[in-house]
């Protein structure tokens, strides 16, 4: 079944608590926490995402879906496991080699957290096949990481389909999450090719009624 993970990157200042409570009432499945360090991507949301995650932990039981867009992954794992996320996803491109990827996977698991691997649009999906047996989720970026409100890169549909085919062939139990430019126009297309967790920020936060848009995205 399809789940929705709402990115809180673009929450309006001073309306954070109201937004979080509205999203909880609207039954988002996850809060998507976009952690950016100003090095792996230009923006720096690091401290703000720690603050937002602590608000969520205080007022909601819904799970945190942490998306690390950082160079120093180990530091971010240390900082964010304190907030007891449901899953921590890091970027394949932030690792030097396969050994480091496997080391990071083990570190996240040692912190009692599920693991996701994220790939940027230009990374070939075949590059991460060999590590899929060790993760719970693969996050396919459908925009260049770094900011919200971008348009979905349609070439990514083929990439999602390729991953879904491989996962089915190998009988792997992993979620396929897509992130960037997901809205009522693009949701159908990414679901049709195999995505089962949809990240949406702008499409949900700008909606008048969070519940309706979340239900529509899941249909
Ligand atoms: C971009 C982030 C995405 C983004 C999604 O680097 O990883 O999660 O905030 O925002 P929308 O849904 O507005 O494209
Ligand atoms: Zn994200």
């Amino acid at each position: 079944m399809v789940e929705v993970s709402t990115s809180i990157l673009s929450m309006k200042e001073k309306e954070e608590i109201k937004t979080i409570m509205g999203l909880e009432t609207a039954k988002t499945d996850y809060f998507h926490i976009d952690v950016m360090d100003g090095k792996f991507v230009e923006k720096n949301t690091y401290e703000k995402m720690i603050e937002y995650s602590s608000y969520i932990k205080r007022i909601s039981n819904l799970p945190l879906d942490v998306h690390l867009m950082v160079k120093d992954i180990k530091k971010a794992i240390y900082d964010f496991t304190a907030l007891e996320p449901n899953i921590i996803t890091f970027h394949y491109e932030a690792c030097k080699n396969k050994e480091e990827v496997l080391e990071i996977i083990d570190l996240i698991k040692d912190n009692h957290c599920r693991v996701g691997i994220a790939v940027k649009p230009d990374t070939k999906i075949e590059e991460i096949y060999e590590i899929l047996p060790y993760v719970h989720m693969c996050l396919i970026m459908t925009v260049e990481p770094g900011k919200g409100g971008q348009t979905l890169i349609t070439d990514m549909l083929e990439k999602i389909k390729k991953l879904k085919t491989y996962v089915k062939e190998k009988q792997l139990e992993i979620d396929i999450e897509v992130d960037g430019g997901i809205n009522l126009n693009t949701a159908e297309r990414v679901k049709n090719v195999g995505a089962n967790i949809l990240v949406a920020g702008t499409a949900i936060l700008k909606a008048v009624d969070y519940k309706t848009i979340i239900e529509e995205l899941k249909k």
Side-chain angles (χ1 to χ4, degrees):
M1 117 291 233
V2 174
E3 295 179 301
V4 165
S5 184
T6 304
S7 163
I8 58 168
L9 180 67
S10 318
M11 279 199 302
K12 283 200 192 87
E13 304 271 319
K14 299 196 181 22
E15 291 186 13
E16 294 90 348
I17 302 296
K18 180 173 155 243
T19 305
I20 291 166
M21 291 175 77
L23 288 167
E24 177 167 58
T25 312
K27 297 197 182 331
T28 185
D29 294 290
Y30 301 89
F31 287 102
H32 184 80
I33 311 296
D34 282 312
V35 183
M36 301 176 188
D37 63 355
K39 298 183 189 117
F40 184 73
V41 291
E42 207 179 306
K43 266 173 97 152
N44 187 328
T45 66
Y46 203 93
E47 293 310 321
K48 190 159 85 167
M49 287 303 136
I50 289 180
E51 184 190 345
Y52 285 0
S53 299
S54 60
Y55 292 165
I56 293 169
K57 289 307 284 181
R58 270 185 252 145
I59 63 174
S60 168
N61 293 321
L62 292 179
L64 299 180
D65 163 31
V66 174
H67 175 196
L68 298 180
M69 289 162 274
V70 302
K71 270 202 174 347
D72 188 347
I73 304 172
K74 289 182 182 167
K75 176 182 180 319
I77 291 169
Y78 178 78
D79 289 339
F80 279 85
T81 37
L83 292 152
E84 295 173 322
N86 178 275
I87 188 162
I88 293 180
T89 300
F90 65 100
H91 269 268
Y92 170 75
E93 302 88 356
C95 296
K96 287 188 292 297
N97 51 41
K98 184 192 152 197
E99 287 63 40
E100 187 185 352
V101 172
L102 294 173
E103 188 194 336
I104 297 280
I105 290 170
D106 286 348
L107 181 61
I108 294 172
K109 287 180 178 175
D110 288 348
N111 280 279
H112 314 134
C113 192
R114 293 176 344 125
V115 188
I117 186 80
V119 283
K120 290 165 70 170
D122 289 349
T123 300
K124 287 201 169 327
I125 197 68
E126 292 86 344
E127 290 195 41
I128 54 130
Y129 280 176
E130 61 184 308
I131 58 131
L132 291 179
Y134 309 105
V135 300
H136 301 92
M137 177 175 83
C138 178
L139 193 169
I140 292 187
M141 290 304 297
T142 38
V143 295
E144 270 309 313
K147 61 181 183 337
Q150 301 178 74
T151 304
L152 179 134
I153 302 168
T154 46
D155 288 359
M156 294 302 108
L157 294 169
E158 194 48 41
K159 188 171 176 180
I160 301 163
K161 191 173 181 182
K162 205 182 240 186
L163 176 62
K164 183 65 182 175
T165 308
Y166 181 82
V167 162
K168 271 166 77 174
E169 214 173 80
K170 301 290 181 192
Q171 295 175 327
L172 294 171
E173 291 286 318
I174 69 157
D175 289 319
I176 298 177
E177 181 170 278
V178 289
D179 184 6
I182 302 299
N183 52 45
L184 290 183
N185 301 326
T186 57
E188 199 59 42
R189 299 174 72 187
V190 293
K191 286 184 285 187
N192 287 345
V193 287
N196 70 298
I197 303 180
L198 310 184
V199 175
T202 308
I204 295 175
L205 295 181
K206 76 171 192 326
V208 174
D209 181 275
Y210 293 154
K211 190 167 171 49
T212 308
I213 181 86
I214 288 172
E215 283 168 356
E216 288 294 311
L217 287 167
K218 284 185 177 184
K219 268 192 187 134

